[in-house]
Amino acid sequence: MELNDANLQTLTEYLQKTLNPDPLVRRPAEKFLESVEGNQNYALLLLTTLEKSQDEVIRVCAAVTFKNYIKRNWRIVEDEPNKISDPDRTAIKANIVNLMLTSPEQIQKQLSDAISIIGREDFPQKWPDLLTEMVNRFQGGDFHIINGVLRTAHSLFKRYRHEFKSNELWMEIKLVLDTFAQPLTELFKATIDLCQTHATDVNALKVLFSSLTLISKLFYSLNFQDLPEFFEDNMETWMTHFHNLLTLDNKLLQTDDEEEAGLLELLKSQICDNAALYAQKYDEEFQPYLPRFVTAIWNLLVTTGQEVKYDLLVSNAIQFLASVCERPHYKHLFEDQNTLTSICEKVIVPNMEFRSADEEAFEDNSEEYIIRDLEGSDIDTRRRAACDLVRGLCKFFEGPVTAIFSGYVNSMLTEYAKNPSVNWKHKDAAIYLVTSLASKAQTQKHGITQANELVNLSEFFVNHILPDLRSPNVNEFPVLKSDAIKYVMTFRSQLPKEQLLETVPLLVAHLRAESTVQHTYAAHALERLFTMRGPNNSTLISAAEMAPFTEQLLNNLFNALAILGSSENEYIMKAIMRSFSLLQEAIVPYIPTLIGQLTHKLLQVSKNPSKPHFNHYLFESLCLSIRITCKANPVSVSSFEEALFPVFTEILQSDVQEFVPYVFQVMSLLLEIHTNNIPSSYMALFPHLLQPVLWERTGNIPPLVRLLQAYLEKGGATIASSAADKIPGLLGVFQKLIASKANDHQGFYLLNSIVEHMPPESITQYRKQIFILLFQRLQSSKTTKFLKSFMVFINLYCVKYGAIALQEIFDDIQPKMFGMVLEKIVIPEVQKVSGQVEKKICAVGITKILTECPAMMDTEYTKLWPLVLQALIGLFELPEDDSIPDDEHFIDIEDTPGYQTAFSQLAFAGKKEHDPIGDAVSNPKILLAQSLHKLSTACPGRVPSMLSTSLNTEALQFLQGYLQAASVQLV
C-alpha cells in the first residue's frame, strides 16, 4: 500500500463506515481493514490520517484503530506471521513520540497506550533512545508535552508493580533510574515552585496538579520493587514535599461535584499510597518520617466529608493506617485504649455506614455494586478499607477492639429494633461490623476459613440473619436481605450443615426477588453451597437432600433470567450449571422444557455476545444437559441435535467468533455419544471444517482437532468411502499444525486418529509424505514436546501396521534410517514420555520392534537390540525424565497476543481419555515377557546370550521378574 492521497482517502472512508451503527455497513468495513492490515505502510497511513485529517472524529477513530492494531500485532510470536514489516516498525518508533506529544489530549492518550505496548516488547533493547527522547522534552516547559511524557512513562513503568523479580527486570529498572530519576526529581521540585508562583491561577493549577499526580504515580512504580539508592538519598526532598501536599488545602481546586474526585483528592490519594508503600516495605528508612504522616493522614480522615468524591482518598488513607497498625514496629502508636476508641469511633464506624450513594448504586447500578461487593473489586471503597483496618488492629489488639465494637453492634441493633423501617441502615452497619470483626482469613473457594473466636457466628445467624431470610415478603428491605444472604455465603465454612440446609429453600425463594442484587446474591450463595465438600469428598449437600426443592429451584433460576436487568446474569447461569451438576439424573424429567429455554437464550446472546462468563456457563449447562440425559438414554442425542443444530448453523454462518470454539466442543460431545455411523447432518459439515480460514484462529484449533478426531473415530470408513477427496485436506491441516511449536501436539492428535481409525489402504499413498514432513520438522526445530509426540506416533504406527512396516517405511525414505531413529531418538528420549496411555503405546510398540522385526535380529541393527530393551525396561522402572532444555520456552496459548478469542475449555464437555490399545494388552510388562518367550522359541539360544552379554544386572533382575509374573522362560 503506497503512502498516497488515494489510499488515505480510501482509509478515511472505511474508518467512517466502522462508526456506522448499522452492522451491515460496519462489519464489512471492519473486515476490510482487518484484511489489509498485513500490508506494508498500513500503520503509517493510519498515523498520517490521525495527524492530517481535518475531521476530529476520524482522527480519534484512526488513533483507536492504530492502538488496537499495535495491540494485536506488535508482539512477534514464533510460528506466527509477522504482520508489521521491519521498515514500518522503524518508522513507527521514529515518529510516534513526537506525534503523541503534539496531538490533542484524546489522541495523545491512545498513542501513549500504543507506545507503552511497543515499549513492553521493544524497550530497552530494541528502542534504546525512547527514554532520552522523552526526558529531553521536560526541558521545554510546555506542560501539555510534559504531561504527555509523564502519562506515557506511567503506562510504561506501572508494570513494575506486578512483575516478578528477575535480573532482566533489575537491569531495566536500573537503566530507567539512571536516565529518569534525577530529571523526575528536578521536575517535581520545579512543578511545586510553579504551584506557588501560580497559586491564584486556577487553570495553571489544574495542569500543574495533574502533573504532580502523574509524578507521584511514577514515584510509586519506580519504588515498588525495591528502594532505589537515588530515592533513599533524596528521601528528604520527596517526603517533605509529599507531606506539605497532604496538608495543603487550595480553595481554587475544590470542586462542587459530589461524585467526581478533584485533582487535589487524586493527588492526596496517591501520596497516601506512596506513604503506605514505604511504611510496609521500607519501614526502617521511613521511620523518621512516619509520625508526621500518621498525624497528617489522621487529620485528613477526621476532616473529610462523606461525599463520594472523597472515597478514593479516604479508602487510601485508611489503607495507610491499616498497613501501619499491623507492623510490630509501630504497635506502640496504637496501644492506648483512647487511641483505639477514637479510631473505632471517628474512622471505622462512620466509614462503614450505608450511604445514600450506596443505596442508589444498589438500586440503579446493581451490576457495578455486585462487582464491587462480591468480587472484592471494592478495594477503593470506604467499607473495604475500614474492614481491612479492623483486621489490622485485631492482629495485636483483638480483645479490646472486639469489646469496643460489640458495644457498637448492640446499640445499632437496638436502634434498628425500635423502628425497623426507618433504622434499617443501623442493622446493615452492624452486620458489616460483625463480618469484618469475625473474618480472619478467607478464600474464594471456601469463604471465611479462620474466624475470630470472640464472635459467636452461629448465635448471630439464628438471632439476626435467619429472621430476615424467613420474612415472607421477599421484596421488603432488599439491602438487609442481601446482607443476610451474603452472611451465609461468607461464613458457609463456619456454620453447621443443619443451618445451611435450613437456608437452602429460603435462598431458593429469594431468587424471585425483584432486586437484582438480592436475586443475584441468592443464586451465587446456592452455587457456592453446592460446591462445598463433605467429609468423604462428596458434595456437602446431596441431590437427595435437594429433592423437595428441585422443581422450585430450576423454575426460580430460569424465571430469574427473565427479570429486568438479569437477562444475561452470569451468577444465575453459573448457579444453573452447578444445580445441573449436583442434581444429575434428577434433572432428566425437566430437560425437554429447559433445553428449549437454553437454546432460545443462546440464540439471543449470539446476536451480540457481550458477557463472556455468562456465555461460558450457558454452554457448560448445555453440555451437562446432554451428558446427563444421554448417559441414561443415548438415543436421546438426536433430540438435542434437533434443538441445537439450527442455532449452531446460524452461529457458524454468521461467524460469531466468540461462540465458534464452543459450538465445536458441543458438537464433539454429541458426535462422541453416537454408537453407529456418522449421521449425514455431520457429514455435510465435514468439508467446511477443513477450510484454512477456520484454522487461522488460535482459539479454534483445540476444539476443531477434537471434532475431527470424533469424525475419524465414528466414521473413518465413511470418510474413506464417501469423502476420499477430502483426505488431502485433512492431511493439509496436519501439515499446518505440525509446523507450529505451539500447536504441533494438536497435529499429532489428528495424525494418531487418522492412523488408528482410517482404513489402512485409504492412506497408503500419503504415508511416506507424512514421515518426510515429520523428519523435516525434526531437523528444523526439535523440541521436547515434539519428540514426545513423535515417539508416541511411531509406536502407535508400529502397533497398528506392524514393526516390519515401520522399519520398511523408514529405510525406504533413506537407507539405515530405522537404526538412526532408534539410536538417536527412541533409546535416549523414551524416558521423557509421560501419561499412562502414552507410555503403554510406547511399551507395546517397542516390544513389537524387539520381537516382531526380523531386521533387529539379523542385520547391523542387532547391536541396538539390547539397548532398545534396556530403554524399554527403563520406561517401566525409572522415574519419568521431565527435564526440558533451557532454551525451550513453550508458548502458552493464553500468551498469544491480541484480540483473537482464546480457547476456553468447557469442563463438562471433557473428553474421556482414549486408549487405542484397550484391553488387548492389560499389562505391557507381561506382554514383553510373553513376546520374548515366543521370539526365543523361534531362535533358541540367541535371546539369553544377547541378554547375558549386553544387559546390566539391574535390568536383568527386572526382566526376570516379568518372566516369572508371566510364568514363561527363555530358551
Side-chain angles (χ1 to χ4, degrees), residues 37 50 85 219 385 427 518 573 613 625 634 740 780 798 830 898:
E37 68 176 22
L50 75 84
S85 67
F219 176 90
K427 181 167 182 181
Q518 192 181 336
M573 192 45 82
H613 288 104
S625 339
S740 147
S780 65
C798 177
V830 73

Side-chain angles (χ1 to χ4, degrees), residues 686-729:
F686 183 67
H688 300 287
L689 301 179
L690 305 175
Q691 287 174 350
V693 63
L694 275 180
W695 296 88
E696 292 300 321
R697 291 188 210 136
T698 335
N700 285 350
I701 290 172
L704 260 179
V705 166
R706 177 181 167 192
L707 183 54
L708 288 180
Q709 284 184 286
Y711 269 90
L712 290 162
E713 186 191 333
K714 297 293 171 188
T718 314
I719 293 170
S721 58
S722 63
D725 57 328
K726 297 292 173 282
I727 296 175

Side-chain angles (χ1 to χ4, degrees), residues 177 200 251 334 363 391 500 521 605 739 776 783 910 921 943:
L177 290 164
T200 53
K251 296 281 181 281
F334 300 89
E363 288 168 4
R391 269 186 212 154
L500 295 177
Y521 280 21
V605 295
Q776 283 169 345
T783 63
V921 176
V943 176

Side-chain angles (χ1 to χ4, degrees), residues 650-714:
E650 186 142 335
I651 289 169
L652 293 174
Q653 281 173 347
S654 315
D655 189 25
V656 184
Q657 289 192 21
E658 296 89 334
F659 283 7
V660 170
Y662 287 127
V663 168
F664 291 148
Q665 288 178 79
V666 181
M667 286 183 65
S668 303
L669 180 62
L670 291 164
L671 184 50
E672 284 158 8
I673 292 167
H674 279 278
T675 43
N676 302 325
N677 280 347
I678 302 190
S680 55
S681 52
Y682 286 89
M683 278 313 289
L685 183 67
F686 183 67
H688 300 287
L689 301 179
L690 305 175
Q691 287 174 350
V693 63
L694 275 180
W695 296 88
E696 292 300 321
R697 291 188 210 136
T698 335
N700 285 350
I701 290 172
L704 260 179
V705 166
R706 177 181 167 192
L707 183 54
L708 288 180
Q709 284 184 286
Y711 269 90
L712 290 162
E713 186 191 333
K714 297 293 171 188

